[in-house]
Amino acid sequence: MASTLISGGVVIDTSPEPTVIGTADVLVKDGRIAAVGKGLVVEEGTEVIDATGRLVLPGFVDTHRHTWQAGLHGALIDDTLPGYLERVVGGFARRFRPEDVYAGTLAGALECLDSGITTLVDWSHIQHTPDHTDANLEALRASGIRAVFGYAYGGDGGNDGRRAEATRVRGAVNGLVSMAMAAFGPEFGDLEGSLNEWQVARELDVPVTAHMGGHGAENAERGLAFLEQHGVADHPTTYVHANYYTDEHFKRIADHGGTVSVSPVTETELVIGYPITGRARAAGIPASLSGDSVITGGADMFAMMRAAYMLERVRPDGAGLGFTTRDVLRMATIEGAQVAGLGDVVGSLTPGKQADLVLLRTDSLNVAPAHDAIAAATLFADTSAVDTVMVAGRVVKRDGRLVDHDLQTVLENLTTSAAHITAA
């Protein structure tokens, strides 16, 4: 792979903490970050991307998104979680064919890339058949995004069926796509099946991501205790919507090495509870951001960062006033990478890491002049600022436009699929 020099941008690194390096260059070789500094000397034939007037930072990481729902933007507004479970999980989802999974997942992954999200944990509970699963994987690969495929078994083969199909999926992931077990867990699934989810994840050496802690205080305690009683709580697990856990619960989760994924937009829209950003981080738990679902509202990282920042800052008695724009940027990048199990791969500009990068414009009325680069990236920029996106050293968005995809065809297929899914 040819080398690329990103030249003259305002560089923001995120490890060990978000820091504005200033005007500098980023050199990419063989898909990895080779060097960061001023006036880097490059070999002949290196592509040069002029980043003047741009912010250069690691790509964003979304640690929990039901990507297959991309064709259902705004299909459930002004409702709550029970409404989502009834209308979407119990209704629309039943109508999805493999081609609908492909159309939604491809469009959803491209929506992520278009907004600067380079790594996605695709929490996919639409696996009715192996054909649905294969369509999901094919769409992730076709998109060009880095993805952790969160596989949620949807067949009727019980524990043996789950183990066999999860094993097949584990053997099918490669390249930019890896795997996690998306567990229905003890708060949604039957207890025997829930235990099997963690056991299979351990057998396959993949992490678990589960909706736990967001369904009432009693369920939160019962579910966590179940994992502890059966000796699986120490397996790498991300707790999604963990809003009903107490500070004591978070200490236990931290002791087990767990992580959390916060969906500040949908958690407030669907009344799942108050986001636990600060409380989880205070316990030493890596916390990340999640777009969750576009069914209820916008799911771009800029919306998530602003929501998380504002909701944390307004906590009662000033409890969240120590939370800063640097904290929320860390959640959107390196901390998100850690939650996704990719902290050694992406999330910062550390030489040797994969070159997943985003360039943000600062020459717009809503950003300029960018007095504080981190504030510009977290509180002022929006999706229109995303100028260039790179995944593993390959440019997937250039000059504000996605490359390698016929977006008109993608949108036509998505619209056709949505019409089928929502037909009365």
Side-chain angles (χ1 to χ4, degrees):
M1 181 182 294
S3 58
T4 303
L5 181 72
I6 301 171
S7 175
V10 175
V11 177
I12 304 172
D13 199 2
T14 54
S15 181
E17 296 296 333
T19 302
V20 180
I21 295 174
T23 302
D25 303 332
V26 178
L27 178 62
V28 175
K29 284 187 176 182
D30 299 323
R32 296 180 180 274
I33 298 168
V36 179
K38 299 180 183 294
L40 296 180
V41 178
V42 297
E43 59 194 27
E44 186 177 352
T46 297
E47 178 190 7
V48 177
I49 296 176
D50 184 3
T52 303
R54 310 289 189 265
L55 305 178
V56 182
L57 62 156
F60 299 129
V61 180
D62 182 335
T63 58
H64 160 250
R65 179 182 293 242
H66 306 303
T67 320
W68 57 273
Q69 297 176 2
L72 298 172
H73 280 88
L76 189 77
I77 299 299
D78 301 327
D79 211 325
T80 59
L81 181 60
Y84 168 83
L85 295 175
E86 177 182 358
R87 188 173 181 189
V88 180
V89 178
F92 292 146
R94 299 179 185 275
R95 303 175 188 172
F96 270 72
R97 305 161 298 183
E99 56 263 43
D100 300 313
V101 175
Y102 182 89
T105 302
L106 177 60
L110 292 178
E111 179 183 3
C112 287
L113 287 173
D114 194 45
S115 66
I117 294 169
T118 54
T119 296
L120 166 69
V121 178
D122 178 25
W123 215 108
S124 192
H125 50 341
I126 193 64
Q127 309 308 316
H128 302 325
T129 69
D131 287 342
H132 287 74
T133 300
D134 293 343
N136 203 135
L137 286 170
E138 184 181 353
L140 290 174
R141 294 192 188 99
S143 73
I145 202 166
R146 187 182 303 279
V148 179
F149 176 48
Y151 175 72
Y153 178 65
D156 57 5
N159 291 344
D160 290 340
R162 178 184 295 106
R163 177 174 281 105
E165 185 61 7
T167 300
R168 184 184 77 86
V169 172
R170 182 68 175 85
V173 297
N174 53 56
L176 292 176
V177 181
S178 56
M179 180 186 177
M181 178 68 75
F184 290 104
E187 293 184 34
F188 277 109
D190 68 273
L191 296 183
E192 181 184 355
S194 298
L195 180 58
N196 180 254
E197 290 173 319
W198 266 263
Q199 291 171 336
V200 170
R202 179 163 287 176
E203 293 168 10
L204 298 179
D205 191 26
V206 299
V208 171
T209 173
H211 297 87
M212 290 186 63
H215 315 290
E218 185 177 342
N219 283 334
E221 166 58 30
R222 184 189 302 117
L224 181 58
F226 176 84
L227 299 185
E228 292 171 334
Q229 290 163 7
H230 289 86
V232 294
D234 61 342
H235 185 79
T237 298
T238 298
Y239 298 79
V240 180
H241 308 320
N243 300 332
Y244 285 94
Y245 287 128
T246 64
D247 291 347
E248 188 272 333
H249 288 141
F250 284 132
K251 291 179 182 178
R252 286 156 59 185
I253 290 172
D255 288 342
H256 297 314
T259 62
V260 299
S261 180
V262 181
S263 307
V265 176
T266 54
E267 285 169 7
T268 51
E269 287 175 335
L270 292 179
V271 199
I272 299 175
Y274 202 93
I276 46 75
T277 304
R279 292 200 298 119
R281 296 180 89 241
I285 300 173
S288 58
L289 294 172
S290 147
D292 198 355
S293 173
V294 297
I295 287 181
T296 59
D300 64 88
M301 187 58 71
F302 302 100
M304 289 184 259
M305 288 191 290
R306 281 193 290 271
Y309 178 80
M310 291 185 289
L311 289 166
E312 184 63 22
R313 297 277 295 182
V314 79
R315 281 174 58 195
D317 302 321
L321 288 179
F323 188 74
T324 68
T325 53
R326 281 165 168 74
D327 292 322
V328 78
L329 180 61
R330 196 174 196 283
M331 290 177 67
T333 54
I334 183 61
E335 209 161 326
Q338 292 167 354
V339 171
L342 299 172
D344 294 333
V345 179
V346 295
S348 72
L349 302 183
T350 305
K353 281 193 173 183
Q354 293 278 309
D356 290 12
L357 307 171
V358 61
L359 276 62
L360 304 180
R361 300 179 66 97
T362 61
D363 57 350
S364 59
L365 291 172
N366 60 309
V367 178
H371 295 287
D372 184 310
I374 291 177
T378 55
L379 299 184
F380 293 89
D382 56 30
T383 57
S384 67
V386 181
D387 178 82
T388 302
V389 178
M390 180 179 283
V391 178
R394 188 174 72 86
V395 174
V396 296
K397 184 176 184 179
R398 188 188 298 272
D399 298 329
R401 296 181 63 85
L402 290 173
V403 301
D404 298 331
H405 290 277
D406 180 350
L407 292 187
Q408 182 176 348
T409 299
V410 170
L411 291 171
E412 287 175 353
N413 291 340
L414 184 68
T415 300
T416 299
S417 169
H420 162 76
I421 295 163
T422 59

